[in-house]
Amino acid sequence: MSNSERFQLHPFDLVLFGGTGDLAMRKLLPAMYYRHNEAQLPDDWRILAVARSEMSSAEFIAAMEEAARRYIQDDEFHEDTWATFIQHVEYFPIDITDQSKYEGLSKALGDWPERVRVFYLSTAPGLFTRICQGVADAGLVTENSRVALEKPLGRDYDSAVAINDQLAEVFNESQIYRIDHYLGKETVQNLMALRFGNSLFEPLWRREHISDVQITIAEQLGVESRAGYYDHTGALRDMVQNHLLQLLVILAMEPPVSIHPDAVRDEKIKVLRSLQPITGRDVLTNTVRGQYREGIVNGQPVKAYLESEGVAERSKNETYVAIKAEINSWRWQGVPFFLRTGKSLAERRTEIVINFRGIPHSIFDTPAAPNRLIIRLQPEEIIKLQIFAKGRGDEMRLSPVNLDLDFDEAFDKRQMIAYERLLMDMIRGNQTLFNHRDEVTAAWQWIDPIIAAWENYEVEPAPYSAGSWGPAAASALVAKESCGWAEEYF
Ligand code: NAP
């Protein structure tokens, strides 16, 4: 298959369940507009948005425009492109739990088996299997259909298996696109390019040269309006099971034999299966649970998690988690992968820091520090390599300097948002950036024992002030095997 064939899009229908929701308005519809604006879409395509709210297509398009003007970059919003974009959009007010209401959608989709059909489930996860059954019963699933699901997929191993089994009754695995939007980010793709497109890093990418790895997803936001959902979920299920483990896997996997989806997914699954289980008393030494108290975030007072509306009285739910993960393999034995995520923290930052081992002997007066590779995904997407150089002056003193990969400077193109790539890949049928069911279940198999042990040992979340970097115990977690969390030395 040539490159142009691989990237070509065939006529398609994108059936967007939850079309009036936050994700659709903020990310998915703007993502489709960007692709249309860049003339990537074929002549023949449609978005069929579905939600319960009673309104006409014209009213839906007006709501979509209001959101688009807020969420699409000003210099990318062009009236004439918008006018052609909306000609491809239709709205269907349907309660998807009512099978009798599928008729209108069914008529609009028509009998067109060769046309690509993507069912995007941008609704609450509780509706996923109902929608799949609904589209199957309405006879809408064709050979060229695919289904895309947002996280979370289940809340433990058993529920994830049950959902996957129900999906499998309607769709083949090759038709199921389980989304982790972190994988659509440019920097994550560049992490693969860095590792597998350069000879420089591969010899160093192993236990002999890397002392430890840190992966942080820090949020400044608290639970806000999601308290009801979050209080039954917690940071471990909400962020570690999916985003943090996906980043770990991309970092740690062996070079795949090709970029073919199966080849990449096989390597990812191997990493998940070689994670050292954290069971029993190990949770006391390898994990830290936290919950935020009141504090100041970004100059604004924030009330304690326990005082947020929708949070149960004396809730023990964690809003912060830090974990020391280990991978049992020749490449990674003995290298700690420190994972952490939390709400109401000092900064919004998603970042991977790879600490290389220090030099064996320093001939300079300056204390030796390790080289670091820093891959930041949020708030900006950058990759920098920290090395040491002699500072200006007559003294032989070493100072850290960064070799920055500035993508804005190197590439004269707007940086795509993750959903643009993911949507295009779904439409063209490329599953590389989507999770196989075995990945989801392997991730839960590692997460479940941690939750069970927390319950067994009644591990209470340690308090931390909103606006800090989390509980003190998290610093102790890294102290023995690392020079501290990234914010302590940057
Ligand atoms: P949301 O704002 O609550 O939107 C839910 C959508 O589902 C609305 O359009 C709602 O419209 C529709 N809906 C609900 N019940 C329905 C029914 N019976 N029949 C037809 N439509 C129905 O949720 P969201 O934030 O967009 O999230 C959507 C999914 O993406 C969730 O699985 C979430 O976990 C995931 N996700 C969201 C984000 C984000 O940034 N928002 C990020 C990552 C993952 P009506 O009320 O008009 O029916």
Side-chain angles (χ1 to χ4, degrees):
M1 196 190 276
S2 73
N3 247 1
S4 58
E5 278 168 343
R6 192 176 301 147
F7 288 107
Q8 195 186 345
L9 295 179
H10 295 292
F12 67 88
D13 288 328
L14 170 64
V15 185
L16 183 51
F17 291 102
T20 57
D22 173 66
L23 184 70
M25 288 290 173
R26 211 159 42 83
K27 297 283 184 192
L28 304 176
L29 293 163
M32 290 301 289
Y33 167 82
Y34 279 129
R35 291 294 90 212
H36 175 65
N37 190 34
E38 299 202 3
Q40 196 187 2
L41 306 185
D43 294 338
D44 186 4
W45 64 275
R46 292 184 298 175
I47 294 174
L48 293 85
V50 178
R52 278 171 311 188
S53 308
E54 278 301 333
M55 60 177 135
S56 63
S57 284
E59 285 166 323
F60 175 77
I61 286 167
M64 187 173 84
E65 179 167 345
E66 198 194 312
R69 287 184 184 276
R70 212 167 336 136
Y71 298 118
I72 291 172
Q73 269 174 236
D74 286 349
D75 55 345
E76 298 285 336
F77 190 90
H78 308 296
E79 302 285 349
D80 49 345
T81 318
W82 183 256
T84 55
F85 178 74
I86 60 176
Q87 286 171 11
H88 297 265
V89 181
E90 259 183 274
Y91 177 72
F92 295 82
I94 299 175
D95 181 339
I96 45 194
T97 59
D98 181 351
Q99 194 63 37
S100 67
K101 300 280 163 50
Y102 278 72
E103 207 178 309
L105 184 62
S106 172
K107 255 195 213 142
L109 284 170
D111 184 14
W112 219 338
E114 71 285 1
R115 191 178 175 90
V116 171
R117 191 173 282 180
V118 177
F119 298 109
Y120 196 119
L121 313 191
S122 181
T123 64
L127 291 170
F128 289 172
T129 51
R130 178 66 194 87
I131 300 173
C132 290
Q133 206 49 56
V135 293
D137 291 349
L140 304 182
V141 181
T142 58
E143 223 174 87
N144 275 320
S145 291
R146 349 211 188 274
V147 64
L149 304 103
E150 276 293 339
K151 68 139 207 188
L153 216 69
R155 52 176 285 108
D156 53 20
Y157 174 81
D158 290 340
S159 56
V161 168
I163 294 172
N164 280 321
D165 285 349
Q166 282 167 313
L167 288 175
E169 283 173 20
V170 177
F171 296 98
N172 299 324
E173 185 59 30
S174 64
Q175 295 176 300
I176 303 173
Y177 290 67
R178 298 178 190 82
I179 298 163
D180 189 321
H181 73 273
Y182 274 56
L183 296 185
K185 286 182 181 287
E186 202 83 74
T187 330
V188 176
Q189 320 263 295
N190 259 314
L191 182 55
M192 304 248 281
L194 200 73
R195 283 196 61 194
F196 307 129
N198 296 283
S199 57
L200 196 63
F201 290 104
E202 180 51 26
L204 304 177
W205 213 260
R206 56 193 65 249
R207 61 193 298 278
E208 289 82 358
H209 300 287
I210 291 178
S211 69
D212 65 286
V213 176
Q214 301 181 4
I215 313 179
T216 297
I217 304 182
E219 295 181 277
Q220 282 191 317
L221 282 179
V223 282
E224 322 292 321
S225 59
R226 290 176 75 218
Y229 158 79
Y230 194 83
D231 203 38
H232 294 102
T233 308
L236 185 65
R237 287 189 175 99
D238 194 43
M239 299 299 278
V240 182
Q241 187 273 342
N242 36 70
H243 303 319
L244 274 167
L245 282 184
Q246 281 296 321
L247 293 178
L248 174 147
V249 156
I250 298 277
L251 268 171
M253 71 180 181
E254 292 299 318
V257 291
S258 74
I259 194 74
H260 189 276
D262 290 344
V264 175
R265 288 159 141 204
D266 284 353
E267 295 305 335
K268 287 170 67 192
I269 291 168
K270 275 190 218 160
V271 178
L272 288 166
R273 290 188 178 145
S274 44
L275 280 170
Q276 171 68 28
I278 301 177
T279 53
R281 294 188 70 80
D282 287 351
V283 283
L284 305 176
T285 46
N286 287 14
T287 73
V288 174
R289 281 184 100 187
Q291 191 185 75
Y292 66 85
R293 299 290 184 258
E294 63 180 13
I296 307 281
V297 179
N298 234 349
Q300 298 299 317
V302 169
K303 59 182 176 192
Y305 175 71
L306 286 178
E307 277 149 38
S308 308
E309 206 177 313
V311 170
E313 218 184 318
R314 291 199 289 275
S315 166
K316 288 187 182 166
N317 187 37
E318 79 283 355
T319 61
Y320 176 99
V321 62
I323 302 180
K324 177 185 154 190
E326 291 170 284
I327 299 169
N328 292 322
S329 71
W330 275 52
R331 188 186 283 269
W332 295 118
Q333 201 66 37
V335 178
F337 282 71
F338 295 107
L339 314 177
R340 67 172 170 168
T341 182
K343 291 200 169 288
S344 293
L345 293 180
E347 278 179 38
R348 172 175 174 251
R349 194 197 280 182
T350 301
E351 183 175 78
I352 299 166
V353 176
I354 295 161
N355 286 316
F356 289 91
R357 293 195 187 281
I359 51 172
H361 164 65
S362 175
I363 59 169
F364 307 110
D365 290 343
T366 6
N371 294 120
R372 296 196 169 95
L373 181 66
I374 299 140
I375 299 146
R376 188 169 294 165
L377 289 83
Q378 269 169 348
E380 64 279 321
E381 299 199 35
I382 48 171
I383 298 183
K384 54 187 175 184
L385 181 63
Q386 196 174 74
I387 60 160
F388 291 86
K390 181 193 152 305
R392 294 268 159 85
D394 66 350
E395 276 181 285
M396 190 61 189
R397 290 188 69 79
L398 301 194
S399 305
V401 279
N402 290 324
L403 294 178
D404 280 349
L405 268 181
D406 186 332
F407 297 109
D408 284 341
E409 211 168 84
F411 305 113
D412 178 26
K413 251 187 157 182
R414 180 185 62 84
Q415 181 171 293
M416 283 166 79
I417 58 172
Y419 282 102
E420 287 176 69
R421 175 171 299 102
L422 296 175
L423 280 159
M424 294 305 102
D425 279 356
M426 276 167 217
I427 294 163
R428 63 168 77 96
N430 182 342
Q431 288 185 304
T432 309
L433 299 178
F434 299 86
N435 293 326
H436 189 275
R437 68 173 285 167
D438 293 350
E439 283 179 74
V440 176
T441 45
W444 281 121
Q445 273 172 320
W446 190 71
I447 294 289
D448 280 0
I450 299 177
I451 296 171
W454 279 350
E455 279 167 13
N456 260 346
Y457 291 94
E458 295 177 2
V459 178
E460 302 265 341
Y464 63 96
S465 301
S468 71
W469 274 102
S475 299
L477 181 77
V478 294
K480 258 194 253 155
E481 291 160 293
S482 178
C483 16
W485 290 108
E487 69 279 1
E488 291 166 24
Y489 46 74
F490 287 142

